Amino acid sequence: FASHVCMMLLAGCVGFNIPADLEQATSAKKMRADLRELMSPSFVMFLGVVWVMGTCAGVIANFLFVFLLELGGSQSLMGLSLTMTCVSEVPVFAVSGWVIKRTGELPVLLVALACYLVRVLFYSQMEDPWSVLLVEPLHGITFGAAWAAATSYAAAHAPHGMTATTQGIVSAVHWGLGSGGGAIIGGLLWQSVGARQTFRILAVVAGFGMLLATAA
């Protein structure tokens, strides 16, 4: 943690000392106008979808292995599960561009949320820890396809000159508000209602995300 903070401070010092081209710098007034243009009702609903995906990812990443331990799962099982999720991303990332061009981003996000729904409902009913391997390949869709579609949608709807800012907003919503908040809320739910009920509540959240993806 300490080394991470030091490196971030160093990066900040370097960044602040890079000469700025004032002629090309975006004025505060134009920035506000671009943000108003970006934050259309459909884009806000899209950010809601991204938040739901981040929340699901945060809860699964932080608590699935804890649940597997409670069921008697071994470290070997956890390693194999993680390997399957990583391997499943490769072919999905490879074909995601082709799929997005033919279907659009929102249908891909809708399918990804449906896969999240299947995953968490399966976890909530799981008795044999090894059965988790049946649904872990869906990670390729819930992360690989979903993230490709999210970044593609952000790039397509970014105002001129705000592509990087738009991608930063999407990343902050997913990894910060979504994944980070999901870890906190998931922990509170885990303590109060238990693992299975937490996953069932997460299924409701995924269903809400599907409604947002349909309406966006």
Side-chain angles (χ1 to χ4, degrees), residues 4-70:
H4 173 75
V5 172
C6 291
M7 294 303 292
M8 290 298 292
L9 290 174
L10 178 61
C13 292
V14 172
F16 279 118
N17 283 281
I18 296 175
D21 187 343
L22 296 180
E23 293 182 357
Q24 295 182 357
T26 304
S27 67
K29 183 177 180 180
K30 184 178 185 301
M31 177 69 75
R32 288 193 295 269
D34 288 341
L35 285 174
R36 284 195 297 269
E37 177 186 349
L38 176 64
M39 293 301 172
S40 63
S42 60
F43 193 82
V44 171
M45 285 189 285
F46 160 71
L47 290 180
V49 171
V50 172
W51 172 80
V52 169
M53 294 191 304
T55 300
C56 292
V59 174
I60 292 172
N62 286 280
F63 299 107
L64 176 59
F65 285 177
V66 177
F67 185 47
L68 292 179
L69 278 175
E70 291 179 356

Side-chain angles (χ1 to χ4, degrees), residues 82-149:
L82 187 60
T83 300
M84 290 186 68
T85 59
C86 293
V87 170
S88 69
E89 296 175 9
V90 177
V92 174
F93 272 126
V95 302
S96 59
W98 180 86
V99 173
I100 290 169
K101 286 181 180 178
R102 282 154 181 78
T103 66
E105 294 91 355
L106 291 175
V108 174
L109 293 174
L110 184 61
V111 171
L113 287 164
C115 290
Y116 263 130
L117 183 63
V118 170
R119 287 181 72 183
V120 295
L121 284 178
F122 185 90
Y123 299 153
S124 72
Q125 303 295 325
M126 191 166 55
E127 298 291 345
D128 179 5
W130 283 91
S131 65
V132 73
L133 300 179
L134 296 174
V135 293
E136 290 309 84
L138 291 178
H139 173 83
I141 298 174
T142 57
F143 177 73
W147 194 241

Side-chain angles (χ1 to χ4, degrees), residues 124-206:
S124 72
Q125 303 295 325
M126 191 166 55
E127 298 291 345
D128 179 5
W130 283 91
S131 65
V132 73
L133 300 179
L134 296 174
V135 293
E136 290 309 84
L138 291 178
H139 173 83
I141 298 174
T142 57
F143 177 73
W147 194 241
T151 54
S152 176
Y153 187 95
H157 291 78
H160 179 69
M162 286 193 65
T163 301
T165 300
T166 305
Q167 296 290 356
I169 292 171
V170 171
S171 294
V173 171
H174 185 279
W175 300 110
L177 294 177
S179 185
I184 296 172
I185 296 172
L188 295 174
L189 286 173
W190 201 280
Q191 288 184 330
S192 60
V193 299
R196 297 187 187 278
Q197 194 63 23
T198 297
F199 285 127
R200 293 184 184 116
I201 293 173
L202 195 61
V204 175
V205 175

